[in-house]
Amino acid sequence: MANSVSGLAVHDDCKIKFADLKSRRSFRFIIFKIDDKSMEIKVERLGETTDGYEEFTSNLPADECRYAVYDLDFVTDENCQKSKIFFFSWSPDTARTRSKMLYASSKDRFRREMDGIQCEIQATDPSEMSLDIIKSRAH
C-alpha cells in the first residue's frame, strides 16, 4: 500500500525480515533503502547475528539517507540480559535535499509498519548515534 504523503510503497520483504529479526532474532540489523525507480522501500542489507554495532554503522552510506533497525543486546544495572530494537532514520548532511525530504516524509508511516520498535534515533552525523548514546537510550 502506497504512502499517501510521499507515494511510497513498503515492500513485503521489509515486514517479513523485520518480523524475523524481532521474533527469531535471525539478524542483528536491517538497512532499508528507498528505490527511486519503483518508489518503494526495500531491504538493502541484512546483518548477521554475529555482526556488531560497528559493522552496522559502517554499512550506512556517508552521503545517502537510509532507514535501519538494530537489535541491541545489553546488561541492565540489575545484571539482567535484555535487548531492544532501535529504529534509525539516517539523513547525513551531505545527502541530496530531495532524498532527505523523501525519507523525512515517509518515516512515520514506515516506522508504524515495524511493530515492536522500542527506541528511535534520528541522526545526521555518526557522532549522533555512537554506541554510548544508543546504550544510554536503552536503559
Side-chain angles (χ1 to χ4, degrees):
M1 186 164 122
N3 182 334
S4 61
V5 175
S6 63
L8 290 177
V10 178
H11 194 280
D12 287 341
D13 201 37
C14 295
K15 298 174 217 171
I16 293 166
K17 297 300 184 196
F18 178 75
D20 286 347
L21 177 142
K22 186 173 82 170
S23 61
R24 294 191 210 141
R25 305 194 77 198
S26 303
F27 314 105
R28 175 64 58 196
F29 63 84
I30 307 170
I31 297 175
F32 304 97
K33 177 182 182 175
I34 295 177
D35 185 320
D36 290 333
K37 291 180 181 66
S38 65
M39 291 309 287
E40 189 173 46
I41 300 172
K42 296 182 173 180
V43 172
E44 180 181 53
R45 181 167 179 81
L46 300 169
E48 300 294 325
T49 55
T50 56
D51 286 348
Y53 192 72
E54 192 172 300
E55 283 87 2
F56 165 65
T57 56
S58 69
N59 278 287
L60 292 171
D63 58 354
E64 292 179 36
C65 300
R66 292 293 187 272
Y67 301 124
V69 290
Y70 186 86
D71 187 8
L72 177 71
D73 290 325
F74 63 98
V75 177
T76 66
D77 294 337
E78 296 81 30
N79 207 27
C80 295
Q81 184 71 30
K82 295 225 175 191
S83 74
K84 282 198 177 173
I85 299 173
F86 281 79
F87 177 85
F88 290 85
S89 179
W90 171 244
S91 184
D93 291 330
T94 54
R96 294 187 335 259
T97 302
R98 181 185 179 281
S99 177
K100 289 193 263 191
M101 290 172 58
L102 187 58
Y103 275 82
S105 67
S106 307
K107 179 185 70 105
D108 289 339
R109 181 183 174 275
F110 181 62
R111 189 188 180 288
R112 283 193 302 270
E113 296 278 346
M114 307 288 135
D115 185 41
I117 300 288
Q118 293 144 320
C119 297
E120 183 175 330
I121 301 286
Q122 294 185 44
T124 60
D125 182 81
S127 66
E128 297 173 343
M129 53 186 279
S130 70
L131 186 56
D132 289 339
I133 290 171
I134 303 308
K135 285 182 176 179
S136 72
R137 295 279 305 275
H139 292 281

